[in-house]
Amino acid sequence: MSEKLSSKTRPTLVLLDANSLFYRAFHALPLTLTTRDGQVTNAVYGFTSMFIKLLERIGRPAAIAAVFDKGLSGRGEIFPEYKAQRPETPVELKQQQPLVREVLRALSVPVVEVEGYEADDVIATFATRGEAEGWEVMVVTSDRDAYQLVSPHIKIMTNRKGISDIVIYDEDKLAERYDLRPDQMVEMAALRGDPSDNIPGVPGVGEKTAIKLIKEYGTVEQIIAAAPNIKQNKLRENLIAHSDGAILGKELVTLQRDVPIGTDVDGLKWGPWDDVQVKQVFQSFEFRTLYQQLMNVAHGMSGQSGANVAEASQPKPVKAPPVTAITDDNLPALAKKWEKSGSPDLGLEMMVDESGALTTVLLSDGKDSWSLALDPNALFESLDGLSALGRSYQGRLVLEDAKAAIRKLRSRGVRMDCRVFDVGLAGYLVEPTVNDYTLSRLAADYLERTIPDSPVVKVETELLPEVDTETGEASPGEVMSARAASLADLVPELEKILAERDQIELLENMELPLMRALVDVEDRGVAIDREYIQELSRQLGTRIAELTTAILEDAGEEFNINSPQQLQEILFTKLGLKPGKKTKTGFATDASTLSLLVDDHPIVAKIMDYRELTKLNGTYLEPLPTLVDPITGRVHTTFNQKVAATGRLSSKDPNLQNIPIRTPLGKQLRKAFVPGKGYDGLLVADYSQVELRILAHLSKDEIMTESFLTGDDVHARTAAEVFGVPREEVTSEMRSRAKAVNFGIVYGISAKGLSDQLRIPIGEAQVYIDRYFERYKGVKEYIDSAIAAGHRDGYVTTLFGRRRYLPEIASPNFRMRTFGERLAVNMPIQGTAADIIKVAMVDLEDSLKAAAMKSRVVLQVHDELVLEIVDSERDEASRFVKEAMVGAFELKPPLEIDMSVGTDWYSAK
């Protein structure tokens, strides 16, 4: 421990930023955490869990307070936009606000709120007074603005992610993390800004740039004064142009330390709680595990009343399996030992240095651990033993993120071709809406609740987060050993849940093989024509400049086209256009709103064009050439397999699945994607109306199924049915409207939504929908049954057994409930489509490899696969593609694909 944390003569005061902790807990845990009668308790559970972990970490403080917001401390008067953009509080969070107060009352924790003031200002006032009066102060918050309070006797405990990854900042830790003093944290926050609070900041100034400026020039005021002399053009211009915003931001982020509070620090002394009352409250929320944890902590705290932070934060004994060093020489013998013991699941953890180089690989069967230290400068041949294990091991290697780990090992020449188990993927199937599938979250936040006696929890929650070794709490080797052991121990727990849900096959036959395929696709990357991109960017730059001039001329004044507030003023006040929906910051100026105004003034179409071009240029044309790997000469995206609750893949760095295809310019960008050296063309295959075919299969609707089986134009057929005209009299406008109805039905479109999309009266839109359901009775029956199943079961499934839980469908809030009902209808359709192309991708990869073909998959874009091919393999590759994609699932009507070959992605579509 640092000297500043070991003040043994000072009693401890803990100040809980209750609002921020409660909000973090709500968003960290799934809405599926409910009582038997349906009361959502995720925020209360998370808050209570954090509170218990606090007591485990620092012991029982002499004084404590939970501080809630009761106003904006005057910031709204200084800057009306302050926090104005925040969305409305979810109804599920509102419902839990009185519940968390019940927990605090039962635990005898004083609750403080001062009319007109934010919690962090009240906390700043208490902390400053407390330090002056001889207290050791611990502020518990998820708000980084609190870092400015750090002092010799004020520390900040915060979450890095989730609810269990905790770190304590004192002056030394703050300097280590940011290289700044506590008082300089205000300057950094002012420069960087904070979109969540609407604090302006300076565009283009992030954390690193802010720190550099502060180190060189000092305060915000001093930086602004020096701005004209800064060499970087863009930075200089932004600092000068946004100086007022930075100064205003500093005023907004500076915490007030003189709030008129009606009690003193002595009034926060923590008295004993009533065990009976605590038990009753915890039982009412069904917090059985948390109650037992609290009792264990309370027993350990007996006699600790008034214990200070230093005494209570002594290192805990590490319960990590012992680690044995292994070498290339003894690894084969060890592999034989594992084989004789039945080839157990082995958790695999890796350690990298600051440069990202792999330095250690550690394996654990849950009881013992073995580590292989790697010399970053050693030749790949030194890893022969590990490579042999990766090729031939009969058991499974268990990883937190297998795709990332396999790619990292492959970069060092180690191929992991043996069986693997990815706990992140398994966790994703168990809880597809959580968006956090780290080992920490799986063990501490999920398994701790359901399997309290699991060794996973006992090891993982005691050693995570990965503590700073200077504290002496755990060495890196012990942490790795515990994590690897936790990986091995998690497997049976997750497999048990998956087996109960009939999802083992989904993991083993779809997600894990797909993970392998994605490793190869990511490693291959895709070739781009940099010269074409640069020329297209130049053309767009010229067009953007022309549009900017034209927009400002139409407006009759200079304004920031990218500012929604300024755009509102121009469109709705100066030009008098009719505003649409209202948001917390004024009237909406989003694309759907502007599309309704496009005929009302020439400026609207120009703004929409401007937005499309600037997004295309800023998102793709400018960044893409910089993302070309200097070794491969190609762009390597990363596919996200654990993000969308429907099972769809997404991609990032760069996102190649979101390139616009509906606009001429978006399509032009596809010309930049070309076959790489040694390849003759790109083959592009995509499913034909796959979601409507799945709807026909699920609904068994005779008219829709017949349209597909006879090869009829399904949208023209729908137009004839809905508008009551002969098939040959269907016009292009009728077909377009019928197409909107067809796809709108899949996504649960309302009469209002269809009205906005087609620009027709709501009554007319409702007539279209009613006529559709009159003719397509099977579709109406499917929708009704899907919604009923969602209400009955709380989840829906794809044809492959993927589940999507629907806590929204039980919400008392009408909008949230109807959203859940739309999900109940759409998820089985969209999720099945996602599953189908996953199966196709895996089968295609297997076929191409088995035939030792050079042609290969380089991209997956939702319903579409892109391959690099050579001319000599064109026919055979096309056959493999059709067999894999059409044969992925037997639908009625059957799957069909469109396939073509071109010299680039554009010409192949």
Side-chain angles (χ1 to χ4, degrees):
M1 285 292 172
S2 67
E3 288 300 319
K4 293 178 178 134
L5 198 60
S6 59
S7 176
K8 296 186 177 182
T9 60
R10 288 174 167 254
T12 301
L13 164 65
V14 168
L15 299 168
L16 305 172
D17 186 352
N19 283 95
S20 74
L21 298 175
F22 188 56
Y23 187 82
R24 174 178 282 272
F26 177 77
H27 289 283
L29 297 177
L31 288 171
T32 48
L33 268 171
T34 63
T35 60
R36 290 186 182 87
D37 61 5
Q39 170 63 58
V40 178
T41 55
N42 65 328
V44 186
Y45 181 93
F47 182 95
T48 308
S49 179
M50 284 189 280
F51 182 79
I52 294 171
K53 286 180 171 65
L54 163 72
L55 300 183
E56 288 178 332
R57 187 74 176 263
I58 71 169
R60 182 183 178 94
I64 190 169
V67 186
F68 287 88
D69 289 333
K70 198 71 170 177
L72 295 179
S73 301
R75 293 182 177 90
E77 298 172 10
I78 299 170
F79 185 50
E81 290 82 5
Y82 179 66
K83 294 188 176 182
Q85 89 298 345
R86 289 195 171 183
E88 184 178 352
T89 304
V91 64
E92 293 83 1
L93 183 59
K94 286 182 179 177
Q95 289 175 345
Q96 296 180 72
Q97 288 170 349
L99 307 186
V100 78
R101 292 173 184 261
E102 278 191 54
V103 171
L104 292 168
R105 278 196 300 270
L107 294 170
S108 296
V109 174
V111 171
V112 178
E113 47 194 351
V114 180
E115 190 68 39
Y117 289 91
E118 292 188 77
D120 49 7
D121 296 303
V122 177
I123 288 170
T125 302
F126 269 136
T128 304
R129 289 183 190 175
E131 181 181 37
E133 294 172 12
W135 292 83
E136 190 77 11
V137 182
M138 179 70 76
V139 175
V140 187
T141 182
S142 60
D143 190 343
R144 289 189 294 180
D145 287 346
Y147 293 168
Q148 64 190 270
L149 299 175
V150 171
S151 73
H153 298 291
I154 301 176
K155 282 80 182 173
I156 308 298
M157 178 183 285
T158 190
N159 304 76
R160 285 183 288 204
K161 59 183 178 180
I163 65 171
S164 60
D165 191 356
I166 297 170
V167 63
I168 293 177
Y169 284 100
D170 59 7
E171 289 177 307
D172 292 339
K173 187 72 174 177
L174 198 67
E176 176 189 330
R177 168 65 179 82
Y178 294 101
D179 195 23
L180 294 176
R181 301 186 311 270
D183 62 289
Q184 293 175 315
M185 297 303 293
V186 172
E187 317 295 339
M188 184 176 76
L191 291 167
R192 185 184 57 202
D194 185 351
S196 67
D197 287 345
N198 248 11
I199 293 172
V202 178
V205 176
E207 182 180 298
K208 291 183 179 179
T209 302
I211 292 173
K212 183 178 178 182
L213 289 169
I214 293 166
K215 299 291 286 183
E216 187 169 354
Y217 299 108
T219 65
V220 166
E221 292 80 5
Q222 291 168 328
I223 292 167
I224 291 171
N229 301 319
I230 291 177
K231 293 181 180 180
Q232 299 99 310
N233 292 340
K234 193 66 175 177
L235 178 59
R236 180 180 64 250
E237 292 169 3
N238 282 343
L239 284 169
I240 293 172
H242 298 274
S243 59
D244 290 344
I247 292 172
L248 172 63
K250 183 173 180 178
E251 185 176 1
L252 293 173
V253 300
T254 300
L255 298 182
Q256 300 176 27
R257 302 185 186 223
D258 56 355
V259 174
I261 304 172
T263 185
D264 56 18
V265 176
D266 286 337
L268 304 179
K269 287 182 177 178
W270 194 14
W273 63 63
D274 184 328
D275 287 338
V276 173
Q277 185 182 2
V278 169
K279 187 174 184 178
Q280 287 175 345
V281 170
F282 277 55
Q283 285 180 338
S284 70
F285 299 148
E286 300 172 17
F287 290 168
R288 180 183 60 83
T289 302
L290 286 185
Y291 178 73
Q292 188 57 54
Q293 290 175 356
L294 178 64
M295 292 301 100
N296 293 340
V297 172
H299 178 74
M301 292 190 309
S302 59
Q304 274 198 39
S305 181
N308 62 59
V309 174
E311 292 170 331
S313 299
Q314 292 303 313
K316 296 181 180 180
V318 174
K319 296 181 181 178
V323 181
T324 301
I326 56 176
T327 66
D328 285 353
D329 294 333
N330 65 19
L331 185 56
L334 186 56
K336 289 183 179 179
K337 175 184 175 182
W338 287 325
E339 187 176 344
K340 288 181 180 179
S341 63
S343 299
D345 289 330
L346 297 175
L348 188 150
E349 270 287 293
M350 299 184 299
M351 182 177 290
V352 296
D353 62 18
E354 292 181 356
S355 67
L358 185 62
T359 61
T360 308
V361 174
L362 187 141
L363 300 163
S364 178
D365 63 3
K367 298 177 182 178
D368 297 289
S369 298
W370 303 268
S371 67
L372 176 65
L374 308 177
D375 179 357
N377 300 314
L379 296 176
F380 290 167
E381 285 76 5
S382 67
L383 296 171
D384 280 349
L386 187 58
S387 295
L389 180 72
R391 288 193 300 269
S392 62
Y393 187 60
Q394 296 302 304
R396 293 180 295 188
L397 298 184
V398 186
L399 305 108
E400 177 183 44
D401 183 347
K403 181 158 66 70
I406 290 173
R407 290 196 68 196
K408 173 63 73 174
L409 288 167
R410 186 181 287 187
S411 72
R412 291 298 308 270
V414 178
R415 294 190 68 89
M416 286 292 161
D417 295 328
C418 63
R419 297 164 63 211
V420 300
F421 187 95
D422 187 318
V423 297
L425 278 176
Y428 165 65
L429 292 179
V430 170
E431 293 184 282
T433 58
V434 172
N435 294 330
D436 180 2
Y437 304 102
T438 59
L439 177 58
S440 307
R441 209 282 303 171
L442 288 171
D445 293 347
Y446 180 72
L447 295 179
E448 179 179 15
R449 172 171 57 89
T450 57
I451 313 169
D453 297 328
S454 169
V456 178
V457 176
K458 292 179 179 178
V459 173
E460 186 70 6
T461 56
E462 289 184 10
L463 286 180
L464 292 178
E466 296 183 12
V467 293
D468 188 342
T469 56
E470 292 181 4
T471 67
E473 291 188 27
S475 69
E478 289 169 325
V479 171
M480 285 185 69
S481 176
R483 287 178 58 86
S486 295
L487 286 166
D489 287 342
L490 258 173
V491 175
E493 306 297 348
L494 290 172
E495 283 189 323
K496 177 183 176 183
I497 300 169
L498 292 173
E500 290 172 352
R501 300 178 182 181
D502 295 323
Q503 291 184 313
I504 291 289
E505 187 176 349
L506 189 63
L507 176 67
E508 293 184 347
N509 294 348
M510 183 188 295
E511 294 296 350
L512 287 173
L514 177 69
M515 177 273 297
R516 293 281 193 183
L518 293 176
V519 168
D520 291 332
V521 174
E522 289 179 8
D523 278 349
R524 291 167 193 156
V526 62
I528 63 170
D529 184 338
R530 280 190 274 191
E531 291 183 3
Y532 173 79
I533 287 178
Q534 289 165 354
E535 173 59 22
L536 188 58
S537 180
R538 187 192 64 76
Q539 294 176 14
L540 256 64
T542 301
R543 180 58 182 149
I544 290 168
E546 293 171 352
L547 282 170
T548 300
T549 300
I551 290 168
L552 297 181
E553 287 179 355
D554 284 349
E557 64 178 82
E558 294 278 336
F559 77 101
N560 182 356
I561 304 171
N562 299 313
S563 167
Q565 287 81 12
Q566 294 184 36
L567 187 58
Q568 290 171 31
E569 183 68 23
I570 294 295
L571 294 179
F572 306 127
T573 302
K574 183 169 184 179
L575 299 180
L577 300 184
K578 184 179 179 180
K581 59 187 176 185
K582 193 168 186 179
T583 68
K584 285 185 175 293
T585 56
F587 290 105
T589 58
D590 59 309
S592 62
T593 300
L594 292 184
S595 68
L596 301 176
L597 303 172
V598 73
D599 296 329
D600 296 347
H601 196 286
I603 195 174
V604 178
K606 295 170 187 174
I607 290 169
M608 294 176 71
D609 287 346
Y610 170 88
R611 283 182 172 178
E612 181 195 350
L613 296 186
T614 53
K615 180 179 180 180
L616 195 63
N617 204 37
T619 305
Y620 295 105
L621 295 180
E622 290 180 352
L624 268 177
T626 68
L627 295 173
V628 173
D629 186 284
I631 297 176
T632 67
R634 299 163 72 93
V635 173
H636 299 265
T637 189
T638 297
F639 287 96
N640 300 313
Q641 202 174 347
K642 300 173 289 191
V643 173
T646 58
R648 295 183 80 178
L649 294 180
S650 61
S651 78
K652 64 177 182 178
D653 304 327
N655 180 357
L656 297 182
Q657 293 191 323
N658 205 30
I659 294 175
I661 60 172
R662 301 184 187 279
T663 61
L665 277 170
K667 292 179 180 178
Q668 290 296 316
L669 177 56
R670 293 196 168 203
K671 289 183 179 179
F673 293 85
V674 296
K677 186 177 180 181
Y679 290 87
D680 302 309
L682 294 182
L683 184 154
V684 178
D686 65 342
Y687 282 108
S688 172
Q689 298 175 330
V690 62
E691 292 189 0
L692 288 180
R693 290 174 184 271
I694 294 169
L695 175 61
H697 177 92
L698 290 170
S699 67
K700 298 181 174 59
D701 186 273
E702 294 179 0
I703 295 176
M704 184 175 288
T705 301
E706 182 188 10
S707 294
F708 283 118
L709 290 175
T710 60
D712 195 2
D713 182 332
V714 68
H715 300 310
R717 174 70 177 270
T718 298
E721 299 287 348
V722 170
F723 296 113
V725 299
R727 173 72 175 74
E728 60 273 12
E729 293 182 16
V730 171
T731 65
S732 59
E733 182 182 358
M734 288 178 179
R735 183 185 183 278
S736 178
R737 292 189 174 190
K739 183 177 181 180
V741 174
N742 269 329
F743 286 112
I745 293 298
V746 174
Y747 290 93
I749 199 167
S750 64
K752 175 67 166 59
L754 187 61
S755 162
D756 289 344
Q757 186 174 336
L758 298 180
R759 298 183 193 173
I760 59 176
I762 293 178
E764 185 178 346
Q766 187 63 58
V767 169
Y768 291 169
I769 293 173
D770 291 342
R771 285 180 182 172
Y772 180 95
F773 286 136
E774 286 173 7
R775 299 297 297 161
Y776 293 91
K777 291 183 170 60
V779 174
K780 182 66 167 69
E781 290 172 2
Y782 161 72
I783 291 173
D784 291 343
S785 65
I787 292 173
H791 279 285
R792 181 187 68 244
D793 302 329
Y795 65 87
V796 288
T797 65
T798 69
L799 291 173
F800 291 82
R802 184 184 305 279
R803 288 189 184 187
R804 204 289 191 187
Y805 286 88
L806 303 169
E808 303 91 345
I809 208 166
S811 172
N813 180 283
F814 174 77
R815 291 179 63 184
M816 183 66 73
R817 186 169 63 254
T818 53
F819 172 66
E821 292 176 346
R822 289 196 299 274
L823 288 176
V825 173
N826 173 251
M827 189 276 172
I829 299 170
Q830 193 177 82
T832 296
D835 287 343
I836 283 173
I837 198 163
K838 285 181 175 182
V839 171
M841 192 172 180
V842 171
D843 290 348
L844 179 58
E845 281 285 303
D846 289 345
S847 297
L848 294 173
K849 288 179 180 177
M853 294 181 68
K854 184 178 179 181
S855 299
R856 58 190 187 171
V857 178
V858 293
L859 274 181
Q860 190 258 51
V861 184
H862 303 313
D863 300 332
E864 177 181 320
L865 294 178
V866 181
L867 289 77
E868 283 181 323
I869 63 168
V870 292
D871 285 341
S872 61
E873 297 176 349
R874 176 172 177 170
D875 291 342
E876 190 174 11
S878 299
R879 178 170 62 84
F880 282 149
V881 169
K882 185 171 183 178
E883 288 176 354
M885 294 184 72
V886 173
F889 193 83
E890 188 174 342
L891 288 179
K892 184 181 179 181
L895 292 164
E896 288 189 6
I897 63 170
D898 298 315
M899 181 167 52
S900 59
V901 176
T903 55
D904 54 59
W905 195 3
Y906 175 85
S907 62
K909 281 293 287 181

